[in-house]
mmCIF file of all heavy atoms in Angstrom:
data_model
loop_
_atom_site.group_PDB
_atom_site.id
_atom_site.type_symbol
_atom_site.label_atom_id
_atom_site.label_comp_id
_atom_site.label_asym_id
_atom_site.label_seq_id
_atom_site.Cartn_x
_atom_site.Cartn_y
_atom_site.Cartn_z
ATOM 1 N N GLY A 1 337.257 5.751 181.150
ATOM 2 C CA GLY A 1 337.592 7.218 181.232
ATOM 3 C C GLY A 1 337.149 7.767 182.566
ATOM 4 O O GLY A 1 337.930 8.548 183.210
ATOM 5 N N LEU A 2 336.020 7.261 183.149
ATOM 6 C CA LEU A 2 335.645 7.696 184.483
ATOM 7 C C LEU A 2 336.538 7.337 185.590
ATOM 8 O O LEU A 2 336.603 7.964 186.655
ATOM 9 C CB LEU A 2 334.204 7.227 184.703
ATOM 10 C CG LEU A 2 333.107 7.887 183.959
ATOM 11 C CD1 LEU A 2 331.694 7.222 184.256
ATOM 12 C CD2 LEU A 2 333.017 9.365 184.110
ATOM 13 N N THR A 3 337.336 6.239 185.410
ATOM 14 C CA THR A 3 338.345 5.812 186.454
ATOM 15 C C THR A 3 339.215 6.834 186.724
ATOM 16 O O THR A 3 339.730 7.041 187.826
ATOM 17 C CB THR A 3 339.046 4.552 185.974
ATOM 18 O OG1 THR A 3 338.168 3.568 185.580
ATOM 19 C CG2 THR A 3 340.006 4.037 186.980
ATOM 20 N N ALA A 4 339.638 7.639 185.713
ATOM 21 C CA ALA A 4 340.618 8.747 185.875
ATOM 22 C C ALA A 4 340.043 9.793 186.868
ATOM 23 O O ALA A 4 340.914 10.567 187.421
ATOM 24 C CB ALA A 4 340.938 9.441 184.599
ATOM 25 N N PHE A 5 338.798 9.932 187.072
ATOM 26 C CA PHE A 5 338.185 10.939 187.896
ATOM 27 C C PHE A 5 337.861 10.504 189.345
ATOM 28 O O PHE A 5 337.233 11.177 190.124
ATOM 29 C CB PHE A 5 336.971 11.545 187.238
ATOM 30 C CG PHE A 5 337.270 12.156 185.970
ATOM 31 C CD1 PHE A 5 337.022 11.524 184.764
ATOM 32 C CD2 PHE A 5 337.795 13.456 185.809
ATOM 33 C CE1 PHE A 5 337.329 12.035 183.535
ATOM 34 C CE2 PHE A 5 338.064 14.035 184.648
ATOM 35 C CZ PHE A 5 337.825 13.341 183.410
ATOM 36 N N ALA A 6 338.299 9.243 189.698
ATOM 37 C CA ALA A 6 337.966 8.710 191.040
ATOM 38 C C ALA A 6 338.739 9.557 192.041
ATOM 39 O O ALA A 6 339.922 9.929 191.936
ATOM 40 C CB ALA A 6 338.519 7.264 191.128
ATOM 41 N N TRP A 7 338.024 9.982 193.113
ATOM 42 C CA TRP A 7 338.543 10.917 194.051
ATOM 43 C C TRP A 7 338.785 10.197 195.451
ATOM 44 O O TRP A 7 339.373 10.807 196.363
ATOM 45 C CB TRP A 7 337.593 12.076 194.314
ATOM 46 C CG TRP A 7 336.133 11.625 194.847
ATOM 47 C CD1 TRP A 7 335.894 11.499 196.130
ATOM 48 C CD2 TRP A 7 335.114 11.261 194.042
ATOM 49 N NE1 TRP A 7 334.573 11.138 196.255
ATOM 50 C CE2 TRP A 7 334.074 10.926 194.871
ATOM 51 C CE3 TRP A 7 334.876 11.187 192.668
ATOM 52 C CZ2 TRP A 7 332.798 10.516 194.475
ATOM 53 C CZ3 TRP A 7 333.543 10.801 192.280
ATOM 54 C CH2 TRP A 7 332.594 10.438 193.085
ATOM 55 N N SER A 8 338.442 8.930 195.531
ATOM 56 C CA SER A 8 338.642 8.174 196.853
ATOM 57 C C SER A 8 338.718 6.695 196.505
ATOM 58 O O SER A 8 338.322 6.258 195.380
ATOM 59 C CB SER A 8 337.524 8.521 197.750
ATOM 60 O OG SER A 8 336.268 7.979 197.303
ATOM 61 N N PHE A 9 339.069 5.920 197.461
ATOM 62 C CA PHE A 9 339.061 4.471 197.374
ATOM 63 C C PHE A 9 337.651 3.959 197.033
ATOM 64 O O PHE A 9 337.451 3.110 196.281
ATOM 65 C CB PHE A 9 339.704 3.868 198.622
ATOM 66 C CG PHE A 9 339.639 2.395 198.777
ATOM 67 C CD1 PHE A 9 340.155 1.659 197.639
ATOM 68 C CD2 PHE A 9 339.065 1.713 199.754
ATOM 69 C CE1 PHE A 9 340.126 0.254 197.698
ATOM 70 C CE2 PHE A 9 339.055 0.347 199.845
ATOM 71 C CZ PHE A 9 339.631 -0.421 198.796
ATOM 72 N N THR A 10 336.718 4.484 197.719
ATOM 73 C CA THR A 10 335.283 4.104 197.584
ATOM 74 C C THR A 10 334.819 4.441 196.165
ATOM 75 O O THR A 10 334.113 3.560 195.513
ATOM 76 C CB THR A 10 334.353 4.716 198.568
ATOM 77 O OG1 THR A 10 334.807 4.370 199.915
ATOM 78 C CG2 THR A 10 332.937 4.294 198.372
ATOM 79 N N ALA A 11 335.135 5.629 195.659
ATOM 80 C CA ALA A 11 334.737 5.979 194.397
ATOM 81 C C ALA A 11 335.391 5.167 193.276
ATOM 82 O O ALA A 11 334.776 4.664 192.314
ATOM 83 C CB ALA A 11 335.123 7.497 194.075
ATOM 84 N N LEU A 12 336.646 4.808 193.507
ATOM 85 C CA LEU A 12 337.376 3.921 192.616
ATOM 86 C C LEU A 12 336.726 2.525 192.527
ATOM 87 O O LEU A 12 336.608 1.916 191.461
ATOM 88 C CB LEU A 12 338.843 3.782 193.015
ATOM 89 C CG LEU A 12 339.820 2.904 192.206
ATOM 90 C CD1 LEU A 12 339.869 3.479 190.772
ATOM 91 C CD2 LEU A 12 341.158 2.768 192.833
ATOM 92 N N LEU A 13 336.355 1.959 193.683
ATOM 93 C CA LEU A 13 335.735 0.668 193.694
ATOM 94 C C LEU A 13 334.352 0.730 193.024
ATOM 95 O O LEU A 13 334.012 -0.210 192.244
ATOM 96 C CB LEU A 13 335.467 0.209 195.155
ATOM 97 C CG LEU A 13 336.699 -0.275 195.969
ATOM 98 C CD1 LEU A 13 336.243 -0.564 197.477
ATOM 99 C CD2 LEU A 13 337.338 -1.427 195.339
ATOM 100 N N ALA A 14 333.624 1.806 193.163
ATOM 101 C CA ALA A 14 332.269 1.939 192.515
ATOM 102 C C ALA A 14 332.546 1.956 190.969
ATOM 103 O O ALA A 14 331.732 1.313 190.199
ATOM 104 C CB ALA A 14 331.569 3.210 192.967
ATOM 105 N N VAL A 15 333.459 2.718 190.482
ATOM 106 C CA VAL A 15 333.707 2.747 189.035
ATOM 107 C C VAL A 15 334.137 1.436 188.461
ATOM 108 O O VAL A 15 333.726 0.930 187.428
ATOM 109 C CB VAL A 15 334.701 3.836 188.672
ATOM 110 C CG1 VAL A 15 335.060 3.892 187.189
ATOM 111 C CG2 VAL A 15 334.116 5.235 189.026
ATOM 112 N N ARG A 16 335.026 0.749 189.280
ATOM 113 C CA ARG A 16 335.482 -0.606 188.810
ATOM 114 C C ARG A 16 334.397 -1.564 188.749
ATOM 115 O O ARG A 16 334.381 -2.483 187.909
ATOM 116 C CB ARG A 16 336.628 -1.063 189.771
ATOM 117 C CG ARG A 16 337.887 -0.209 189.722
ATOM 118 C CD ARG A 16 338.639 -0.359 188.361
ATOM 119 N NE ARG A 16 339.104 -1.686 188.122
ATOM 120 C CZ ARG A 16 339.747 -2.036 187.041
ATOM 121 N NH1 ARG A 16 339.881 -1.169 185.989
ATOM 122 N NH2 ARG A 16 340.207 -3.243 186.826
ATOM 123 N N LEU A 17 333.391 -1.514 189.727
ATOM 124 C CA LEU A 17 332.211 -2.440 189.652
ATOM 125 C C LEU A 17 331.464 -2.250 188.368
ATOM 126 O O LEU A 17 331.065 -3.131 187.743
ATOM 127 C CB LEU A 17 331.368 -2.198 190.915
ATOM 128 C CG LEU A 17 331.983 -2.728 192.217
ATOM 129 C CD1 LEU A 17 331.096 -2.201 193.376
ATOM 130 C CD2 LEU A 17 331.938 -4.260 192.251
ATOM 131 N N CYS A 18 331.141 -0.924 188.056
ATOM 132 C CA CYS A 18 330.458 -0.618 186.816
ATOM 133 C C CYS A 18 331.257 -1.022 185.579
ATOM 134 O O CYS A 18 330.686 -1.560 184.604
ATOM 135 C CB CYS A 18 330.148 0.864 186.767
ATOM 136 S SG CYS A 18 329.012 1.446 188.033
ATOM 137 N N PHE A 19 332.556 -0.721 185.575
ATOM 138 C CA PHE A 19 333.426 -1.218 184.468
ATOM 139 C C PHE A 19 333.413 -2.662 184.263
ATOM 140 O O PHE A 19 333.238 -3.229 183.164
ATOM 141 C CB PHE A 19 334.849 -0.701 184.798
ATOM 142 C CG PHE A 19 335.861 -1.199 183.817
ATOM 143 C CD1 PHE A 19 335.927 -0.737 182.483
ATOM 144 C CD2 PHE A 19 336.815 -2.152 184.237
ATOM 145 C CE1 PHE A 19 336.916 -1.144 181.666
ATOM 146 C CE2 PHE A 19 337.788 -2.599 183.309
ATOM 147 C CZ PHE A 19 337.869 -2.086 182.080
ATOM 148 N N GLY A 20 333.380 -3.472 185.368
ATOM 149 C CA GLY A 20 333.323 -4.944 185.282
ATOM 150 C C GLY A 20 331.983 -5.404 184.693
ATOM 151 O O GLY A 20 332.022 -6.389 183.904
ATOM 152 N N ALA A 21 330.841 -4.813 185.077
ATOM 153 C CA ALA A 21 329.566 -5.157 184.584
ATOM 154 C C ALA A 21 329.538 -4.942 183.104
ATOM 155 O O ALA A 21 328.991 -5.696 182.276
ATOM 156 C CB ALA A 21 328.476 -4.372 185.269
ATOM 157 N N ALA A 22 330.011 -3.760 182.570
ATOM 158 C CA ALA A 22 330.070 -3.435 181.201
ATOM 159 C C ALA A 22 330.925 -4.454 180.433
ATOM 160 O O ALA A 22 330.468 -4.985 179.295
ATOM 161 C CB ALA A 22 330.600 -2.066 180.920
ATOM 162 N N GLN A 23 332.120 -4.719 180.913
ATOM 163 C CA GLN A 23 333.002 -5.718 180.213
ATOM 164 C C GLN A 23 332.365 -7.130 180.255
ATOM 165 O O GLN A 23 332.667 -7.969 179.342
ATOM 166 C CB GLN A 23 334.404 -5.677 180.724
ATOM 167 C CG GLN A 23 335.221 -4.510 180.213
ATOM 168 C CD GLN A 23 336.771 -4.888 180.110
ATOM 169 O OE1 GLN A 23 337.216 -5.827 180.715
ATOM 170 N NE2 GLN A 23 337.490 -4.148 179.284
ATOM 171 N N GLY A 24 331.603 -7.400 181.274
ATOM 172 C CA GLY A 24 331.034 -8.800 181.420
ATOM 173 C C GLY A 24 330.108 -9.110 180.317
ATOM 174 O O GLY A 24 329.809 -10.303 180.092
ATOM 175 N N LEU A 25 329.518 -8.098 179.634
ATOM 176 C CA LEU A 25 328.638 -8.427 178.528
ATOM 177 C C LEU A 25 329.443 -8.891 177.251
ATOM 178 O O LEU A 25 328.791 -9.481 176.408
ATOM 179 C CB LEU A 25 327.853 -7.145 178.166
ATOM 180 C CG LEU A 25 326.920 -6.578 179.151
ATOM 181 C CD1 LEU A 25 326.423 -5.198 178.732
ATOM 182 C CD2 LEU A 25 325.664 -7.498 179.355
ATOM 183 N N PHE A 26 330.653 -8.651 177.208
ATOM 184 C CA PHE A 26 331.428 -8.783 175.986
ATOM 185 C C PHE A 26 331.786 -10.204 175.630
ATOM 186 O O PHE A 26 331.734 -10.686 174.468
ATOM 187 C CB PHE A 26 332.604 -7.901 175.905
ATOM 188 C CG PHE A 26 333.435 -7.968 174.696
ATOM 189 C CD1 PHE A 26 332.889 -7.432 173.485
ATOM 190 C CD2 PHE A 26 334.672 -8.531 174.651
ATOM 191 C CE1 PHE A 26 333.650 -7.526 172.327
ATOM 192 C CE2 PHE A 26 335.414 -8.687 173.491
ATOM 193 C CZ PHE A 26 334.906 -8.191 172.296
ATOM 194 N N PRO A 27 332.411 -11.042 176.561
ATOM 195 C CA PRO A 27 333.017 -12.291 176.168
ATOM 196 C C PRO A 27 331.998 -13.249 175.500
ATOM 197 O O PRO A 27 332.326 -13.780 174.476
ATOM 198 C CB PRO A 27 333.560 -12.871 177.492
ATOM 199 C CG PRO A 27 333.828 -11.648 178.325
ATOM 200 C CD PRO A 27 332.728 -10.692 178.050
ATOM 201 N N GLY A 28 330.902 -13.442 176.151
ATOM 202 C CA GLY A 28 329.916 -14.357 175.522
ATOM 203 C C GLY A 28 329.399 -13.820 174.197
ATOM 204 O O GLY A 28 329.123 -14.607 173.267
ATOM 205 N N ALA A 29 329.243 -12.566 174.085
ATOM 206 C CA ALA A 29 328.822 -11.893 172.865
ATOM 207 C C ALA A 29 329.792 -12.124 171.730
ATOM 208 O O ALA A 29 329.482 -12.369 170.573
ATOM 209 C CB ALA A 29 328.582 -10.453 173.102
ATOM 210 N N SER A 30 331.143 -11.973 172.084
ATOM 211 C CA SER A 30 332.166 -12.170 171.043
ATOM 212 C C SER A 30 332.180 -13.719 170.547
ATOM 213 O O SER A 30 332.355 -13.839 169.368
ATOM 214 C CB SER A 30 333.470 -11.725 171.650
ATOM 215 O OG SER A 30 334.027 -12.671 172.580
ATOM 216 N N VAL A 31 332.097 -14.603 171.414
ATOM 217 C CA VAL A 31 332.060 -15.974 171.029
ATOM 218 C C VAL A 31 330.802 -16.324 170.220
ATOM 219 O O VAL A 31 330.870 -16.993 169.202
ATOM 220 C CB VAL A 31 332.040 -16.921 172.273
ATOM 221 C CG1 VAL A 31 331.851 -18.320 171.943
ATOM 222 C CG2 VAL A 31 333.399 -16.749 173.082
ATOM 223 N N SER A 32 329.684 -15.702 170.575
ATOM 224 C CA SER A 32 328.462 -15.858 169.846
ATOM 225 C C SER A 32 328.619 -15.364 168.418
ATOM 226 O O SER A 32 328.251 -15.901 167.449
ATOM 227 C CB SER A 32 327.258 -15.228 170.587
ATOM 228 O OG SER A 32 326.062 -15.279 169.767
ATOM 229 N N ALA A 33 329.165 -14.072 168.320
ATOM 230 C CA ALA A 33 329.375 -13.439 167.010
ATOM 231 C C ALA A 33 330.265 -14.276 166.136
ATOM 232 O O ALA A 33 330.008 -14.461 164.944
ATOM 233 C CB ALA A 33 329.894 -12.061 167.197
ATOM 234 N N LEU A 34 331.375 -14.807 166.706
ATOM 235 C CA LEU A 34 332.313 -15.581 165.938
ATOM 236 C C LEU A 34 331.713 -16.948 165.549
ATOM 237 O O LEU A 34 331.963 -17.428 164.398
ATOM 238 C CB LEU A 34 333.616 -15.736 166.688
ATOM 239 C CG LEU A 34 334.675 -16.513 165.979
ATOM 240 C CD1 LEU A 34 335.021 -15.793 164.587
ATOM 241 C CD2 LEU A 34 335.998 -16.524 166.788
ATOM 242 N N SER A 35 330.897 -17.513 166.425
ATOM 243 C CA SER A 35 330.315 -18.858 166.115
ATOM 244 C C SER A 35 329.297 -18.792 165.025
ATOM 245 O O SER A 35 329.240 -19.658 164.137
ATOM 246 C CB SER A 35 329.603 -19.402 167.353
ATOM 247 O OG SER A 35 330.456 -19.699 168.382
ATOM 248 N N ALA A 36 328.624 -17.571 164.845
ATOM 249 C CA ALA A 36 327.760 -17.408 163.730
ATOM 250 C C ALA A 36 328.460 -17.123 162.447
ATOM 251 O O ALA A 36 327.826 -17.039 161.425
ATOM 252 C CB ALA A 36 326.762 -16.298 164.034
ATOM 253 N N ARG A 37 329.750 -16.896 162.521
ATOM 254 C CA ARG A 37 330.512 -16.579 161.354
ATOM 255 C C ARG A 37 331.737 -17.526 161.103
ATOM 256 O O ARG A 37 332.735 -17.152 160.557
ATOM 257 C CB ARG A 37 331.074 -15.084 161.486
ATOM 258 C CG ARG A 37 329.942 -14.132 161.428
ATOM 259 C CD ARG A 37 330.326 -12.710 161.914
ATOM 260 N NE ARG A 37 329.197 -11.803 161.790
ATOM 261 C CZ ARG A 37 328.185 -11.694 162.646
ATOM 262 N NH1 ARG A 37 328.164 -12.511 163.678
ATOM 263 N NH2 ARG A 37 327.247 -10.772 162.471
#
């Protein structure tokens, strides 16, 4: 959602960096959740 409010190239890069960190938590977690089930 915050990507929509980027006002410059630098701001867009900063939001994308944070977005990437948040999504980076997910893949290993999803595999772990499925392996346990």
Side-chain angles (χ1 to χ4, degrees):
L2 291 176
T3 304
F5 298 98
W7 62 90
S8 68
F9 176 53
T10 301
L12 181 62
L13 286 178
V15 173
R16 293 293 293 177
L17 287 168
C18 295
F19 173 71
Q23 281 211 339
L25 295 171
F26 181 71
S30 69
V31 172
S32 177
L34 184 54
S35 294
R37 292 163 177 80

